Amino acid sequence: MLLVNFSQVSKDFSSNPVFDEIDLEILEGERIGLVGENGSGKSTLLELVAGLDTPTEGNITRRRNLIIGYLLQEPDPAQSGKSIYEAVAEVSPEVVSMSSRLRELEARMSDPAVTSDVDEMEKVLDAYGKAQERFESLGGYTLEHKVEEVLGGLGFQPEQYGQKVGTLSGGEKKLVNLARILLQTPDLLLLDEPDNHLDLQAKAWLERFIRDYPGTVMIISHDSFLLDRVVKKIYQLEDGKVEVYAGNYSFYARERQQRLLKRHELYNLQQDEIKRLEVVHRNLVSWAKQNPKFAARAESMRKRVERAKREATERPVMTREKIKVNFDADRSGKKALEAKEVSKSIGERLLFAPFNLTILYGERIGIVGPNGSGKTTLLKVLMEEIASDTGSVKLGASVVSGYYEQEQQSLPAQMTLLDYIRSLKPVTEQHALGILRSLLFSFDDAYNKIGNLSGGEKSRLQIARLMLTDANLLVLDEPTNNLDIASIEVLEAALGQFEGTIVTVSHDRYFLDKIVTKTVAIGESGRMASYAGNFSYYLEKSGQSL
């Protein structure tokens, strides 16, 4: 059954086209992955599907009474002051309205004016029966049980239910939003980068959930591993057009390359034919000057050349431009960082017990642990952005640190990109523009304010900051979040060639396996454990499983 249909849909922002006459269908039961470069309009497309935005041109039709659940890329700040339980339990507006309706009808049934009127009482009883049936079908009578079941499935403990949403980590906030949507069980579930901020256990749970979901799912993700495991169809958004691939991400990657090669071959054949027709046309024009009887044939050939040009395939882009990343830096001393007897608590909660950690030049350390275990806090302590409760942290000789923030809050929102680059390093305006261009920012982008950037654009700007500070100690908190797959591959390659020291928090399994040579795990009761290998080695030696 058709749930959503796009017919010749176009979307512009400030006269800049995002989509151009796209057609697409979403069918019942499908698992669709939406892929594309940062800035290609993936989130905008989801908003159009959800009805949160309207197209500039074209028509969008949805099945009657279609229920859509939309998981935003970023947590909803409106939930910050509510407890976890309150934020999740209030999600079904129909349950709330039907509950009010039942109370209203119960009050009417005890009203003497109604009880004395047989016909009116019969109408009220009939309305009450229908409302009660709908309330029960929505799970109104079992809401409390369902809330606890969903929260437990997502890893929340009962003692956390009263905790304010605003105090949670980024991953925990996203889990709360996901729990809110799960209770609705919408017909069509739209997920905008749901795996950002999620720990590895939660990612594994999300994979199982999407595979088993009774409705239809459309997901934006830059995690090719996740897309391989959960989707059966790929919609690629590129150059304002949508192209469909009937398979998972690996199938899409292979098929896309084959299609590009075929289009390139067709393009060359068509261009050769156009050149041949143009030669014939020029000859006919020349002959017509000597013999007018060739004039009609020359005109006919001119029209044929014009038609061939109109109908010709556009030249396919075989290799897309990618960001350019280089982390050159001077060598530091042998000891890059040393932490002695460091511990940290937040309120009554112990994040990590006193521990010692020595990081040597050239080491690549991955920090892992469940959402809320204190990974980001640990990085901030190591960077001395927040104070530890006990112990000390000391950087080694000649160490220059660069910090990539998960929340991107250190970027000055009111500053333009150009001014920000020049504030990091005294370079000419032309040089600064060149730096921005290497990270795929346009000339107009350079004069835009940082606060107007998307998550992916802010991530690229943070990469620029790391490069310009000449850091030989890179401290990275979820560096692959918000980046598209092509940019992640470039970042991985640059980090692979980097000769300095890396400390990173990541929930990207491929990234950890490719970059990390030592893993530090934050376990229960804040105890640290060190493993002399990458993430797969840690899983094997610790007995953990996903």
Side-chain angles (χ1 to χ4, degrees):
M1 180 181 291
L2 183 63
L3 299 185
V4 181
N5 182 67
F6 278 40
S7 177
Q8 297 289 288
V9 169
S10 299
K11 181 64 180 178
D12 299 344
F13 283 122
S14 303
S15 300
N16 295 316
V18 181
F19 313 129
D20 181 28
E21 297 183 348
I22 63 173
D23 298 307
L24 66 83
E25 293 181 338
I26 300 175
L27 304 177
E28 189 173 19
E30 288 189 314
R31 301 288 184 273
I32 301 170
L34 179 58
V35 303
E37 297 176 343
N38 286 137
S40 60
K42 299 186 297 295
S43 294
T44 302
L45 181 59
L46 279 199
E47 289 173 358
L48 289 172
V49 173
L52 300 176
D53 200 354
T54 54
T56 306
E57 293 180 4
N59 296 301
I60 301 174
T61 56
R62 300 173 187 84
R63 191 194 72 188
R64 188 176 180 183
N65 299 321
L66 179 67
I67 300 174
I68 299 176
Y70 183 23
L71 180 68
L72 298 170
Q73 189 178 128
E74 297 299 327
D76 183 359
Q79 306 301 324
S80 295
K82 298 169 184 172
S83 71
I84 293 174
Y85 190 92
E86 289 170 341
V88 174
E90 70 175 12
V91 301
S92 178
E94 191 175 0
V95 167
V96 175
S97 66
M98 291 308 298
S99 178
S100 299
R101 175 66 172 159
L102 286 172
R103 288 195 298 271
E104 174 192 328
L105 291 170
E106 286 165 0
R108 293 196 64 195
M109 284 189 288
S110 60
D111 184 349
V114 174
T115 56
S116 61
D117 187 329
V118 176
D119 291 338
E120 186 63 24
M121 186 64 175
E122 188 175 331
K123 290 179 183 178
V124 173
L125 286 171
D126 182 59
Y128 186 79
K130 290 178 180 178
Q132 194 175 38
E133 183 180 344
R134 179 58 178 162
F135 186 69
E136 185 174 3
S137 70
L138 292 169
Y141 292 114
T142 59
L143 180 61
E144 182 176 340
H145 172 72
K146 289 174 67 176
V147 170
E148 292 175 355
E149 182 180 29
V150 170
L151 287 175
L154 291 172
F156 289 105
Q157 302 302 315
E159 57 268 23
Q160 292 180 272
Y161 293 173
Q163 189 176 346
K164 297 296 184 185
V165 173
T167 66
L168 301 177
S169 68
E172 289 172 320
K173 289 176 183 175
K174 180 152 279 187
L175 285 175
V176 169
N177 271 4
L178 185 56
R180 287 166 55 84
I181 290 174
L182 298 191
L183 282 175
Q184 297 177 30
T185 317
D187 305 313
L188 172 58
L189 184 56
L190 305 176
L191 304 174
D192 193 348
E193 299 192 27
D195 46 320
N196 274 5
H197 309 298
L198 296 189
D199 63 37
L200 295 160
Q201 296 288 352
K203 276 192 175 187
W205 184 92
L206 180 65
E207 289 173 9
R208 293 193 298 272
F209 164 74
I210 294 174
R211 287 200 302 265
D212 298 339
Y213 190 71
T216 304
V217 181
M218 190 171 190
I219 177 174
I220 296 173
S221 177
H222 297 144
D223 187 333
S224 54
F225 184 88
L226 175 71
L227 293 175
D228 265 350
R229 290 170 67 89
V230 304
V231 307
K232 302 297 183 184
K233 180 185 284 188
I234 294 287
Y235 283 172
Q236 177 196 260
L237 184 55
E238 189 173 74
D239 299 331
K241 299 291 186 182
V242 170
E243 190 160 358
V244 182
Y245 295 81
N248 63 8
Y249 184 83
S250 292
F251 172 85
Y252 150 75
R254 294 191 303 271
E255 178 68 14
R256 178 175 183 267
Q257 194 61 30
Q258 291 175 4
R259 291 186 191 182
L260 281 173
L261 290 172
K262 289 179 180 178
R263 285 174 189 162
H264 186 66
E265 183 179 353
L266 177 60
Y267 172 81
N268 287 334
L269 290 173
Q270 289 174 334
Q271 293 304 308
D272 289 344
E273 176 64 7
I274 288 170
K275 289 176 183 177
R276 186 188 71 80
L277 294 175
E278 286 177 331
V279 169
V280 174
H281 175 247
R282 285 196 298 270
N283 289 337
L284 288 171
V285 170
S286 178
W287 297 340
K289 291 177 181 177
Q290 307 298 323
N291 187 343
K293 71 178 183 179
F294 287 105
R297 292 175 61 185
E299 177 61 18
S300 176
M301 182 57 65
R302 184 191 67 79
K303 292 179 179 178
R304 186 176 172 185
V305 169
E306 292 301 315
R307 184 170 65 251
K309 287 182 178 180
R310 285 195 309 270
E311 296 175 353
T313 302
E314 289 186 18
R315 183 171 187 169
V317 180
M318 300 300 293
T319 304
R320 293 274 162 178
E321 190 175 9
K322 297 181 180 181
I323 61 173
K324 298 177 179 63
V325 181
N326 187 0
F327 296 119
D328 281 340
D330 294 333
R331 182 187 173 93
S332 73
K334 183 178 180 181
K335 190 181 293 184
L337 184 147
E338 186 173 29
K340 292 183 177 180
E341 295 298 314
V342 170
S343 68
K344 183 66 180 178
S345 297
I346 295 180
E348 299 296 320
R349 185 183 174 200
L350 175 68
L351 290 181
F352 32 90
F355 71 92
N356 297 310
L357 177 64
T358 299
I359 301 173
L360 302 179
Y361 176 79
E363 283 193 314
R364 296 153 179 270
I365 295 177
I367 298 174
V368 300
N371 281 133
S373 60
K375 300 183 296 295
T376 294
T377 302
L378 176 57
L379 291 191
K380 289 181 181 291
V381 167
L382 295 180
M383 291 296 293
E384 298 186 276
E385 293 213 347
I386 60 176
S388 60
D389 295 338
T390 64
S392 62
V393 175
K394 183 180 179 182
L395 291 178
S398 303
V399 170
V400 179
S401 62
Y403 182 35
Y404 181 106
E405 275 192 314
Q406 179 187 151
E407 301 295 338
Q408 304 180 332
Q409 292 174 341
S410 62
L411 294 172
Q414 296 304 312
M415 190 177 283
T416 67
L417 278 69
L418 181 62
D419 289 341
Y420 181 61
I421 292 295
R422 299 186 72 183
S423 73
L424 296 172
K425 199 166 189 175
V427 296
T428 64
E429 181 174 321
Q430 201 63 32
H431 188 183
L433 288 170
I435 292 168
L436 289 170
R437 186 71 195 91
S438 71
L439 290 163
L440 305 187
F441 290 108
S442 68
F443 180 82
D444 290 338
D445 291 334
Y447 296 92
N448 193 8
K449 288 186 177 180
I450 292 173
N452 296 330
L453 300 182
S454 68
E457 289 168 332
K458 288 178 180 177
S459 294
R460 301 204 303 271
L461 196 59
Q462 285 210 82
I463 291 172
R465 179 171 64 191
L466 293 178
M467 292 193 296
L468 291 173
T469 51
D470 298 323
N472 50 29
L473 168 60
L474 299 180
V475 180
L476 313 174
D477 193 358
E478 298 284 5
T480 61
N481 276 3
N482 302 311
L483 290 178
D484 56 41
I485 293 173
S487 298
I488 291 172
E489 291 172 350
V490 172
L491 177 62
E492 287 173 345
L495 291 173
Q497 296 172 3
F498 178 59
E499 295 181 356
T501 310
I502 299 172
V503 180
T504 183
V505 167
S506 179
H507 294 138
D508 186 324
R509 290 159 280 200
Y510 285 166
F511 179 81
L512 288 172
D513 270 349
K514 197 165 187 178
I515 300 301
V516 166
T517 57
K518 182 178 179 180
T519 304
V520 174
I522 304 177
E524 293 182 5
S525 304
R527 300 293 176 184
M528 299 283 193
S530 182
Y531 299 83
N534 63 10
F535 181 71
S536 292
Y537 178 87
Y538 151 73
L539 284 180
E540 178 187 348
K541 294 300 180 182
S542 66
Q544 298 286 327
S545 68
L546 297 179

